[in-house]
Amino acid sequence: MKRLLARANVDVLRQFAWSKVLLAFDFDGTLAPIVDDPGDARMRARTERRFREVARLYPCVVISGRGQRDLRGRLSGVPVVEVVGNHGIDAARYPGALRADVRGWTAELAGRLAGLKGVKVEDKQVSLAIHYRQSRAKRHAAQEIERAIASLSGVRVIRGKLVFNLLPEGAPHKGLALLSARARFGCDTAIYVGDDASDEDVFALDEPGRLLGVRVEESASSHASYFLGDQAEIDPMLDVLLACRAASGGARDASPMVSGAA
């Protein structure tokens, strides 16, 4: 992996910015710092100011594991063209049978995980997130969660930062959501920034010259070609994008919708 903002590499970002590009971002750990309570996650004020301006100049989408309603509330006032929740799954369009499956997982996990302090099961209709960041015995909690998940069927498990994400097998993922958005908004290229295992569905796409995958923090196991040193480097990255549009005098083509689709 190469550090995107290093002097030798930042021209790659500029080249994409000067193309007809779609900008796409994860939320937690990317636009916003990771916090102990996911309900407290917010963009820093300086990031929000930059991102609001970037979204006026480029078509921007946010693709997150959060539910769409939750995500839209955290992006209030930012003119993104689209919000995609549930790791690329759109709850409104997805078959009801899958929502029933997730309800079944929730019921089963509630019994198996009862008594584990600091463990929270978040039901997002078509996916689940099992958080254990607040557990005082994280290794034990993770082991118990793994045992509980092993009893479920039809589950794709994506392990994140002190969270287990449970998705229906075969469901749309972030990579498909990105490709769909890029085509829908008539863009030739895309830049995607993410920090977690679920973002690998984007980074693993075989799109040379058309996709710039950027991971927050270096990882030897990631498919991303470039990385930011930490979450705070999202601000200087946004500054580069702003400077490119200022230099070209250009503006985005897509219209803001702040809606959900996958």
Side-chain angles (χ1 to χ4, degrees):
M1 298 180 79
K2 301 176 182 179
R3 190 163 189 161
L4 182 66
L5 298 180
R7 183 175 298 179
N9 301 323
V10 73
D11 276 348
V12 174
L13 177 59
R14 294 189 180 107
Q15 288 167 10
F16 270 83
W18 290 329
S19 67
K20 193 172 184 181
V21 65
L22 175 75
L23 304 184
F25 303 85
D26 185 21
F27 188 77
D28 296 85
T30 301
L31 289 171
I34 296 289
V35 293
D36 287 342
D37 185 345
D40 293 335
R42 297 288 186 277
M43 287 184 282
R44 297 183 183 91
R46 63 180 183 270
T47 304
E48 186 171 358
R49 286 194 301 270
R50 287 170 168 85
F51 188 42
R52 189 181 297 115
E53 186 60 25
V54 164
R56 292 192 182 102
L57 298 173
Y58 299 82
C60 290
V61 302
V62 177
I63 307 174
S64 168
R66 289 181 178 270
Q68 289 175 353
R69 181 178 297 178
D70 178 346
L71 195 55
R72 284 196 294 266
R74 296 171 199 277
L75 294 167
S76 178
V78 180
V80 295
V81 296
E82 188 167 79
V83 171
V84 182
N86 281 296
H87 305 280
I89 305 170
D90 184 279
R93 298 181 184 178
Y94 222 69
L98 289 183
R99 292 196 290 273
D101 287 345
V102 173
R103 284 196 297 270
W105 300 345
T106 305
E108 188 166 344
L109 290 170
R112 290 181 174 271
L113 299 178
L116 276 180
K117 294 183 178 180
V119 173
K120 177 184 177 183
V121 178
E122 182 184 3
D123 185 347
K124 296 177 286 186
Q125 292 191 300
V126 290
S127 73
L128 293 180
I130 308 175
H131 302 275
Y132 62 102
R133 182 173 295 275
Q134 296 182 338
S135 172
R136 294 185 178 180
K138 291 180 175 59
R139 181 178 296 180
H140 174 69
Q143 291 172 344
E144 291 301 312
I145 293 168
E146 287 179 325
R147 290 192 186 99
I149 291 172
S151 68
L152 307 177
S153 60
V155 180
R156 180 190 178 195
V157 180
I158 303 176
R159 189 164 180 177
K161 296 175 180 176
L162 301 179
V163 61
F164 289 82
N165 298 292
L166 277 59
L167 289 70
E169 286 182 342
H173 54 65
K174 288 184 176 183
L176 295 176
L178 176 71
L179 295 178
S180 177
R182 188 179 66 187
R184 191 161 50 256
F185 295 115
C187 296
D188 298 324
T189 60
I191 299 171
Y192 183 83
V193 191
D195 76 307
D196 216 335
S198 65
D199 300 304
E200 293 299 321
D201 286 326
V202 179
F203 300 148
L205 293 172
D206 186 16
E207 292 270 309
R210 298 197 67 199
L211 172 63
L212 177 61
V214 184
R215 190 185 191 278
V216 177
E217 298 184 358
E218 187 174 12
S219 170
S221 62
S222 178
H223 290 89
S225 298
Y226 293 87
F227 73 95
L228 299 177
D230 56 28
Q231 189 275 326
E233 284 196 357
I234 194 69
D235 290 350
M237 179 181 176
L238 294 174
D239 285 338
V240 173
L241 294 169
L242 287 171
C244 288
R245 275 296 190 262
S248 67
R252 73 181 190 188
D253 297 320
S255 299
M257 295 194 306
V258 192
S259 65

